[in-house]
Amino acid sequence: MPTCPLTAFASWTARRWLVAAGTALATFLRLGLSTAVIPNPVFGRSVAPTDWAMEVLIATSVLTGLLTATYVATGREEGLDKKGTVGALLSYFAIGCPVCNKLVLIALGTTGALQFFAPIQPYLAVAGLGVLTWALMVRLRGEMTCSISLPPVEDEPKEETTTGS
């Protein structure tokens, strides 16, 4: 049976949508403020955010919200999957300031952070969003159905062979 991701969302309760929206907003604020993609007086950046950082932040927030909502009232006893955490973490490193990241700074120094880490940040963004999307699709797999019915396939008529005597 074909699967349609939108059918899973159509069956969600208001509670699940509230969890998705609340988590998306919390993720947006937490990642955006701590990386200073959202300008604020508490956190600063040595290097300005990239042109695509806000779009990655928004996409990460929406995907994280939807993924978190899949754990609401599923009726299945299970722990949280780590794929979503890995995806959000990759996105966090992608939008963060390359010279403000202490791990990168210790490992590569300021020059190395700018020469080696900054150029791979777009790839981290793609990887993070890819992992979040994949984790969401895995979680939705059990909820997706489509009511598309395919026409029956007719058998081809068999040719009768006659043998002459």
Side-chain angles (χ1 to χ4, degrees):
M1 174 178 282
T3 59
C4 298
L6 296 180
T7 60
F9 296 133
S11 67
W12 279 16
T13 62
R15 180 174 177 229
R16 282 181 111 175
W17 284 112
L18 285 173
V19 168
T23 303
L25 179 61
T27 302
F28 181 78
L29 293 174
R30 184 166 186 173
L31 295 183
L33 291 171
S34 67
T35 60
V37 171
I38 301 171
N40 66 85
V42 178
F43 296 101
R45 291 179 70 112
S46 300
V47 177
T50 58
D51 294 338
W52 46 264
M54 184 58 78
E55 288 82 1
V56 171
L57 175 59
I58 291 168
T60 299
S61 301
V62 169
L63 289 169
T64 301
L66 292 173
L67 181 60
T68 302
T70 65
Y71 288 93
V72 174
T74 58
R76 295 180 283 188
E77 289 293 324
E78 57 192 328
L80 290 176
D81 201 347
K82 292 176 179 55
K83 291 184 276 298
T85 304
V86 169
L89 189 60
L90 287 170
S91 294
Y92 177 75
F93 285 130
I95 64 174
C97 173
V99 295
C100 301
N101 185 326
K102 302 297 182 227
L103 296 174
V104 173
L105 208 53
I106 289 170
L108 302 174
T110 304
T111 304
L114 291 171
Q115 285 183 333
F116 300 113
F117 185 69
I120 67 165
Q121 285 182 295
Y123 300 105
L124 292 175
V126 170
L129 294 174
V131 170
L132 282 168
T133 302
W134 174 63
L136 179 61
M137 295 307 290
V138 167
R139 292 287 305 160
L140 290 175
R141 190 178 315 153
E143 299 178 34
M144 296 186 294
T145 58
C146 265
S147 59
I148 298 172
S149 57
L150 300 173
V153 178
E154 295 181 21
D155 291 334
E156 292 182 27
K158 295 180 182 176
E159 293 182 24
E160 292 184 27
T161 57
T162 56
T163 56
S165 326

